[in-house]
Structure formats: C-alpha cells, structure tokens
C-alpha cells in the first residue's frame, strides 16, 4: 500500500507541475441561461450570471473585477470571496485534533489565536490550483496538498465546476488521501446576493426569503463561534427557517449569535433529511433562497449534512461591488448584511466531537472512499 501511494504521489506531483498556469487567468464557462467565471487562485468563483425576472443577466456573487485584488484582499482583511476552503472548512477548536492516536496542531488564525479557521494561515483559498481541464461548459482544478499547515499526510483534490441548462451550476470536490489518515472537509465559500444590488432592497439580503426545510437542529457555539458540543433545536427561535421566512424578520433577535457582541447569522444548521431519503441523498432541495428585487430563486441540492449560513455581519461599506453590479449613479459598496454565504459541509469541528458520530464523514484513509462534496445550484425565476 505504501509503494502504491508513493507512485500516486509521484504521478500527482508530475501532473501538477506539467499543468501549471497563470493562477489569475479567468476561465468562463457557459450554458443556456448561465455563465460563470473562475480563476485557479483558490479554485475560485468570480462571477456568475443568471437571468432576472426581466430577462436581464445579473451577476449574483460578490468579488472583484481585477483578479489581483483577491490576492490583495487575502493579505489584508481576508474575506474569502468565492474560493474553496480547506483542508478543513470552518473552525477547529484550539487548532488541535487527534486521529487514530496521532495529535495534530494547525496554526490558529482566528479569534486572536484561539482556533483555526478554514484550514489555517495558508489554506486552500490562497493556493494556486492547477487547471487540469477546461472546455466550454466545465473546468477542473487540482491541488496537491503536501501536509499543508501541519495536517497529516498528502491529499490530492480535484474540483470540477460545470454549468448546464436549467440553468444550473454543479460543483464536485473530490479529495483522495495518499498516505496518512486525515480529516477532510472542504466547502465552496461563495458570497451570494440574488438581488444583485439592482435597487435599495437588493443591496442587502434582509428582504430575501430563505427556507431550509430540514434544518430543525443546529450546532451551538460559544462567544468565539467554536462548538460547545451541544446540539440545539431551531423550532420557535430566530434560527427557524424550516418554513419560508425573510432573513431580516428575526435578525435583530440574533444578538451574540455570531460571536460576542455580534448580531446576525453565522450558524451551522444540521440537515435531517426525511426517512424516505438518506443522510447523503441529493434528491431534495436543502435550501431555497429568493429575491423579489430580481425575481431570482436559488435551490441547493447537496450530499452534505450541514449548511453554514453567514449573513455578512462583518462587511462595512468599504468594499465596492463589481462593475457588473453597479446600477446607481454613485459607487455602491457592500454594506452589513449585503450578502449571504452558504457553505455545504459536514458538522463544524466534528473531528473533535466523536459523540456526534461524524468520523465516517470527516476522517479518510488510503483505503476508504474519497471525500466527496457535491453541490448543485439550480436557478429559476419567481412565478415562472
């Protein structure tokens, strides 16, 4: 097994080196009613256009016009606009975990050194991925992770993005450990605004309608957003989105919900699919989001068992929206609640909570199945 893994690692290293390209070059893929642009830096989504209720294409994701600005952002405020985050998305308590008796420590890059966020100081979002394949409707990036940030062992990941009629965007993230047992939990970190800043109501997500029909539970967190180990229920609380509800309806009640002295949503919702489905089934929409400003609706199907919802509580009007989203005479900036991040992933910090039974979905070995994150984003127009 070790010899075979060494062969794979040698092949992967050669594959990556021979496929090197400009990490800031843009790759645009298109299908009827949708077009999306990506760069290899972070395997990152930079633009996604779908038609609104008037038949006009709208860019519904946040980011920058100049790809170099993503690098500058990561060196300063580090917003995580549009990339893959990993090797382990979200937070790890004290940056420490133990797998099969071996303890690993990952640099704590969050909350003044109290936890690890999105894979450490130099996560997958800041890596130059390789373009493995590209055509008119699909692009695939690859990354050879050689024990980055102190994670155990080597892992190779392929990220394939495809657009198709529907319109639909499909993301498939496949990670294969090459030698040592390791936690793997990747996520797309896209900032959405389905209102596309077309009017005042569309400048925030507060008027967006959100439903997560199977999110009756959530992971409780402390005042630095690290899980306490307690699993809470959403029924009757401001966290209840099992029926359609405007995001802004109860948001003022979400005091200290996204950290100390923070009002808003930054929560890991658990997806309890109905019994005629299965824990990793992709047959049912797990989230529906819509904007009256544009009439655009998004439905997400995924094999993951949790959705992290973040309502951009830290954007403060200092970052301008892209030219494609400038609809006013003066420059529009991203204000508080100006977007929403939806991360399809497993339970946050599950690697440190064996009592949750998440190991089968978060710990991978050379003889296990690969780690696969499947997410399908279907777009439509309200009332159509």
């Amino acid at each position: 097994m070790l010899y075979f893994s060494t062969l794979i690692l040698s092949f992967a290293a050669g594959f990556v080196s021979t496929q090197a390209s400009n990490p800031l070059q843009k790759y645009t893929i298109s299908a009827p009613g949708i077009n999306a642009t990506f760069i290899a830096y972070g395997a990152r989504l930079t633009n996604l256009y779908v038609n609104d209720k008037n038949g006009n294409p709208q860019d519904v994701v946040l980011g920058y016009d100049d790809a170099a600005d993503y690098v500058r952002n990561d060196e300063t405020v580090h917003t995580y606009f549009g990339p893959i985050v990993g090797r382990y998305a979200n937070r790890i308590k004290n940056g420490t975990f133990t797998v099969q008796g071996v303890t690993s420590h990952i640099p704590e890059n969050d909350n003044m050194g109290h936890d690890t966020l999105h894979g450490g100081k130099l996560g997958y979002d800041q890596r130059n991925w390789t373009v493995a394949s590209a055509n008119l409707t699909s692009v695939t990036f690859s990354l050879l992770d050689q024990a980055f940030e102190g994670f155990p062992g080597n892992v190779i990941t392929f990220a394939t993005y495809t657009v198709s009629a529907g319109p639909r965007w499909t993301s498939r993230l496949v990670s294969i450990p090459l030698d040592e047992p390791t936690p793997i939990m990747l996520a797309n970190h896209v900032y959405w605004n389905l209102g596309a800043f077309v009017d005042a109501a569309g400048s925030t997500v507060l008027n967006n309608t959100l439903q997560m029909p199977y999110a009756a539970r959530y992971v409780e967190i402390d005042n630095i957003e690290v899980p306490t180990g307690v699993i809470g229920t959403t029924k009757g609380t401001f966290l209840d989105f099992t029926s359609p509800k405007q995001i802004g309806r109860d948001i003022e009640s979400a005091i200290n919900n996204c950290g100390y002295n923070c009002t808003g949503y930054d929560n890991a919702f658990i997806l309890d699919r109905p019994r005629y489905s299965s824990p990793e089934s992709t047959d049912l929409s797990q989230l529906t989001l819509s904007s009256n400003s544009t009439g655009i609706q998004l439905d997400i199907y995924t094999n993951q068992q949790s959705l992290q919802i973040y309502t951009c509580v830290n954007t403060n009007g200092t970052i301008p929206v892209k030219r494609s989203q400038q609809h006013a005479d003066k420059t529009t900036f991203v204000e508080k609640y100006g977007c929403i991040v939806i991360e399809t992933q497993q339970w946050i910090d599950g690697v440190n909570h064996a009592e949750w039974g998440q190991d089968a979905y978060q710990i991978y070995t050379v003889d296990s199945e690969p780690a696969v994150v499947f997410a399908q984003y279907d777009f439509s127009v309200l009332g159509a």
Side-chain angles (χ1 to χ4, degrees), residues 14 33 47 70 98 152 179 254 293 375:
N47 303 82
Y70 291 103
T98 300
D179 36 43
S293 292

Side-chain angles (χ1 to χ4, degrees), residues 1 15-16 21 41 48 54 63 67 79 116-117 126 133-134 139 150 171 180 288 293 329 351 363 365:
M1 182 66 73
F15 177 83
V16 169
S21 59
Y41 178 66
L48 195 152
N54 298 314
T79 313
T116 298
L117 177 64
Q126 295 183 79
S133 175
V139 60
S171 169
E180 299 179 33
T288 301
S293 292
D329 293 333
V351 68
I363 308 298
T365 66

Side-chain angles (χ1 to χ4, degrees), residues 53-107:
K53 59 188 177 184
N54 298 314
N56 299 317
Q58 300 292 345
D59 190 353
V60 294
V61 302
L62 272 63
Y64 293 103
D65 293 306
D66 183 355
D69 282 335
Y70 291 103
V71 180
R72 287 187 277 267
N73 175 286
D74 288 346
E75 292 172 346
T76 53
V77 294
H78 204 172
T79 313
Y80 298 96
F81 276 143
I84 291 172
V85 290
R87 179 187 304 190
Y88 195 90
N90 223 307
R91 290 174 172 84
I92 301 173
K93 184 176 182 178
N94 298 323
T96 303
F97 56 84
T98 300
V99 174
Q100 296 189 12
V102 178
T103 299
S104 298
H105 188 83
I106 315 303

Side-chain angles (χ1 to χ4, degrees), residues 107-151:
E108 298 105 320
N109 60 321
D110 191 41
N111 288 308
M112 301 177 66
H114 286 90
D115 62 89
T116 298
L117 177 64
H118 295 327
K121 293 181 179 178
L122 195 64
Y124 283 15
D125 62 297
Q126 295 183 79
R127 302 287 176 173
N128 293 329
W129 293 56
T130 295
V131 180
S133 175
N135 57 44
L136 294 178
T137 60
S138 183
V139 60
T140 296
F141 300 100
S142 67
L143 180 70
L144 177 59
D145 172 353
Q146 297 178 286
F148 293 160
E149 297 295 279
F151 280 93

Side-chain angles (χ1 to χ4, degrees), residues 243-289:
S243 297
K245 182 177 73 174
Q246 283 193 331
I247 291 173
R249 194 187 83 178
D250 298 328
I251 202 165
E252 292 303 320
S253 298
I255 300 169
N256 295 324
N257 180 59
C258 45
Y260 176 71
N261 202 28
C262 175
T263 299
Y265 294 106
D266 194 4
N267 300 97
F269 292 86
I270 295 170
L271 303 176
D272 293 311
R273 293 166 172 84
R275 69 182 195 177
Y276 58 80
S277 188
S278 64
E280 297 180 284
S281 178
T282 61
D283 59 335
L284 300 170
S285 172
Q286 298 298 318
L287 178 147
T288 301
L289 180 70

